[in-house]
Amino acid sequence: MFKKIGIAGLITFSLSSCIGYKSAAPERMNVLKNTSEIKGNTKIPDKWIQHKERDSIEFSYQWMKELVSPELESLIQEGLDHNADIVISKEKLHQIELSMDIAGSNLYPSVNALANTSNNIVSGSQIGNLQIKSSWEIDLWGKNKSAQMSIISQYYSSAFQQKMLEQSIAAMIAKSYFLNIAGQYQEQKITQYIAATDGLKNIYSIQNKIGIANSLDISNIEAEIILLNSYLEKVKNANSQSRRNLEILCGRYPEDLLKVNVEFSPLMQKVPSQFPLSILEKRSDIMAWQFQIERSFYDVQEAKAARLPSINISAGFGAAETNVAGISNLFSNPLIRVGSGLTTPIFNGGKLKKNVEIKTSEQQQVIEQYSKSVLTAFGEVESALANLSSMDRQNSLQQDAILTLQKNIELTKKQIQVGNNNNLALLQKQRDLIKKEMNSIDLNLQQRVERVNLYMALGANGLDQ
């Protein structure tokens, strides 16, 4: 009687709690993060700390939203639905989700059916056995619960990795989209430049006839035109490959049939210079490592529990009969068995102890990876901000140079009208203007790419707000 009461009490206790199990509470995770050597050597500037408490929902992403045209939004959605890497990653995430159910099954009893028959060669008798067997390892130290929570943490880490992949594909589509627009601009400007150079050739031909220019001048300009046409062909091929790359990102067959809008939308919104720290903390890669720390916490806990004794409860119900036909009536010779067992490791060459050390080392490695991802995030934000600031200044100077050259061209035209200048000087200045406009196209492209980079560095979580 007392034995039955003891077993029942033990079962009830194991169902309600596990002696050795601890949850990965935020306080425990913060303690682990503070053990990072990388973090200990990294001083976060006050400008981040001062904005830590600011609600990220109040932070404006208008500087990014103005880049997203309906056409680009449609391409991004197509990529998220059909990109090959995303489709494959979703299947991997589904596999981890199924593994969660498998890990959870260890917390419950297992039930199996057993049927066999054997012949005694000497006596000629036949013995049959039919049983339903159940066994259950009481999770006294939280080993199985830790294993289950490890898989759950792994699932959430993979879910954030999936999100990071989707964000990366969306960013690649946006960059490729802007590159296609810039490429089409470049084609137009190179074509204009070739036309201006043809105009120079015509002028040199006329001057050659009247003895002002010589054959060498004409030969030089003809060689330049050949090189320019070669460069134009190179640009056209690069643009064709860029369109194919965009089609692949969107999950299409790369046929070079995709055409994009040939205009850059103006950049009206100013990029902020300071950001709340809470935005970086929500980056998908940082969140993925956060859950990896939780997973490693449970792995260490499981490894430690594996060194402790385990209690198993088993039960069997069935029948055994020397006449196999007699088993058709299960209760003709019933067998009912209930028992329990205690298993404890004594000697295994230090394998379990070393396993704890390995899991602890892996935990520290994950903590350092987490700290590295935070440091990387700061670096990406600062680099994007520095690049944007430099490009803004470059673009401002470039626009001033373009305006100055445009005024110079207008003055040259007026001088030609009164006979104080000639078309040769005008064409040369027009060619210089086209060069500067081509440089401006590159700067416009880089500005948009760096805005995408900054948006990704901040976690790419704001366009739905």
Side-chain angles (χ1 to χ4, degrees), residues 130-143:
L130 176 63
Q131 290 188 60
I132 296 177
K133 301 179 68 175
S134 175
S135 63
W136 181 26
E137 179 184 349
I138 298 178
D139 198 23
L140 189 61
W141 313 113
K143 182 182 70 174

Side-chain angles (χ1 to χ4, degrees), residues 32-50:
L32 287 176
K33 292 175 188 176
N34 289 332
T35 64
S36 169
E37 182 178 344
I38 295 174
K39 180 180 178 181
N41 194 47
T42 304
K43 188 180 186 310
I44 301 176
D46 292 339
K47 67 177 183 178
W48 288 99
I49 303 299
Q50 291 169 358

